[in-house]
Amino acid sequence: MSARPVNPSASVDSSSEHRELNRAYWNSRASAHAASDDYAVEELAADPNRLSDVLRFDAPRLGDLSGLDVLHLQCHIGTDTLSLARMGGKVKGLDLSEVSLDEARSLAERAGVAIDYRHGSVDRAVEVFGVGNFDLVYTGIGALCWLPSIRDWAESVAQLLRPGGRLHVRDSHPVLQSSCAMVVRDEHPDNEQQGSMSGPGDTTVALELPYFEQLEPTTWRDEVTYVATDAELPALASVEWNHGIAETVMAVLDAGLELTNLVEHDSVPWDALPGMMVADERGEYLLKDRPSRMPMTFTLMARRPG
């Protein structure tokens, strides 16, 4: 099974067929996500000081958001959006899934936090929110894989930011998105020198899916979702695109933004490769064996000049 994102939201697609496919997919799953322990919605609603696991990881790099106009693209059910507001931001959220937005609005209302949620795809975000109205555009875990064009995304972000505004994205690393668990058949000859390489019968990580952005998406059909749930879910198809690190960085630069930080992390906030990972004290998952061999997520930060 391939690595699946933990907090996806149906997103922009240049093809209306693809967009509608993903919209239906996330509409069918949003309520199950909101009801699951994985998102801790009730705990977030009840505790005004609580942040989502994702935002606790991001907080040191985000810094103080007090008084900033913040836009959360692909906000899904709003757990990270609520957390951005609790960090001081005046937050708006955008998502393609109407059911996700219903859950996000319900969470914000129960938490007593004002968040302006809008329905739409990323390619129409400028139409929805206007040009140059945000100090921070935030994109979180499990978002970029739903975008057919990383360049279109970067151009939208650049238009949404006011001069001096910044972008913050932490997402699945494209190496993880192109990986799956496979069983090794033969001994690799280099293991005679290295000794630590996987051998016959071992389960290891293999690059089997596209790393670089492709015109045609990768299609999935899942009868389950990534949270524990007893809910019956339609076996709906979804489509994804991977984007290499260089493709993402150059898209941001070519959109006129200045890169201010790029970090690759050895952890991811869900069990992306079941049976091969172990959780740490932060709730992040790392490879049990030799975690230094593979990036799991990345953080990219950029700024609009001015």
Side-chain angles (χ1 to χ4, degrees):
M1 182 178 179
S2 73
R4 310 296 292 162
V6 72
N7 186 22
S9 298
S11 182
V12 57
D13 192 306
S14 58
S15 159
S16 60
E17 179 183 352
H18 288 155
R19 181 163 51 243
E20 288 306 303
L21 196 69
N22 283 344
R23 184 181 69 84
Y25 185 86
W26 294 113
N27 274 343
S28 73
R29 284 152 170 76
S31 294
H33 295 175
S36 73
D37 293 336
D38 301 67
Y39 279 97
V41 166
E42 296 305 320
E43 291 85 348
L44 277 167
D47 183 354
N49 297 312
R50 184 172 179 132
L51 302 179
S52 67
D53 290 344
V54 170
L55 261 295
R56 280 201 299 272
F57 188 100
D58 292 340
R61 291 184 176 88
L62 282 167
D64 184 13
L65 303 184
S66 296
L68 298 185
D69 291 308
V70 178
L71 175 59
H72 183 187
L73 295 176
Q74 300 167 266
C75 61
H76 194 40
I77 63 171
T79 52
D80 298 336
T81 326
L82 174 63
S83 300
L84 290 166
R86 284 179 171 164
M87 293 170 63
K90 296 179 289 185
V91 184
K92 301 180 189 296
L94 180 75
D95 202 88
L96 189 62
S97 163
E98 300 94 334
V99 179
S100 294
L101 291 173
D102 287 343
E103 297 291 352
R105 291 185 181 110
S106 174
L107 171 58
E109 182 178 358
R110 281 179 287 157
V113 177
I115 299 174
D116 180 5
Y117 285 109
R118 308 280 184 91
H119 177 249
S121 56
V122 174
D123 61 335
R124 293 172 186 150
V126 177
E127 296 175 28
V128 175
F129 294 108
V131 174
N133 288 322
F134 296 98
D135 303 299
L136 173 67
V137 171
Y138 177 88
T139 295
I141 290 288
L144 297 182
C145 65
W146 307 105
L147 306 175
S149 169
I150 199 66
R151 287 188 166 270
D152 287 351
W153 166 80
E155 289 170 6
S156 292
V157 168
Q159 292 182 67
L160 290 162
L161 290 171
R162 58 177 51 115
R166 56 196 174 102
L167 164 68
H168 184 286
V169 54
R170 182 194 180 212
D171 209 341
S172 312
H173 199 286
V175 169
L176 175 61
Q177 288 295 114
S178 63
S179 300
C180 58
M182 302 283 282
V183 177
V184 177
R185 188 188 69 177
D186 299 322
E187 188 80 34
H188 195 282
D190 288 345
N191 203 25
E192 189 172 309
Q193 296 186 62
Q194 301 302 325
S196 61
M197 297 172 65
S198 302
D202 292 338
T203 301
T204 193
V205 180
L207 298 175
E208 292 292 326
L209 300 167
Y211 174 85
F212 299 107
E213 184 180 297
Q214 304 294 303
L215 182 61
E216 291 300 317
T218 301
T219 301
W220 300 96
R221 192 168 183 86
D222 297 319
E223 295 184 8
V224 297
T225 188
Y226 53 82
V227 303
T229 179
D230 294 327
E232 292 187 10
L233 302 172
L236 294 175
S238 64
V239 292
E240 299 177 11
W241 294 260
N242 205 7
H243 315 284
I245 286 291
E247 291 173 330
T248 303
V249 169
M250 291 309 301
V252 167
L253 295 178
D254 289 344
L257 302 181
E258 298 174 343
L259 187 67
T260 59
N261 200 7
L262 179 62
V263 185
E264 294 174 297
H265 311 283
D266 61 4
S267 67
V268 61
W270 81 96
D271 190 2
L273 297 164
M276 299 187 67
M277 309 195 81
V278 60
D280 65 13
E281 67 283 354
R282 304 166 298 174
E284 293 273 311
Y285 287 82
L286 299 88
L287 286 174
K288 286 189 280 190
D289 179 31
R290 293 168 288 148
S292 61
R293 62 183 156 142
M294 180 178 174
M296 291 289 169
T297 55
F298 72 97
T299 296
L300 183 151
M301 300 171 66
R303 176 181 174 274
R304 181 180 170 183

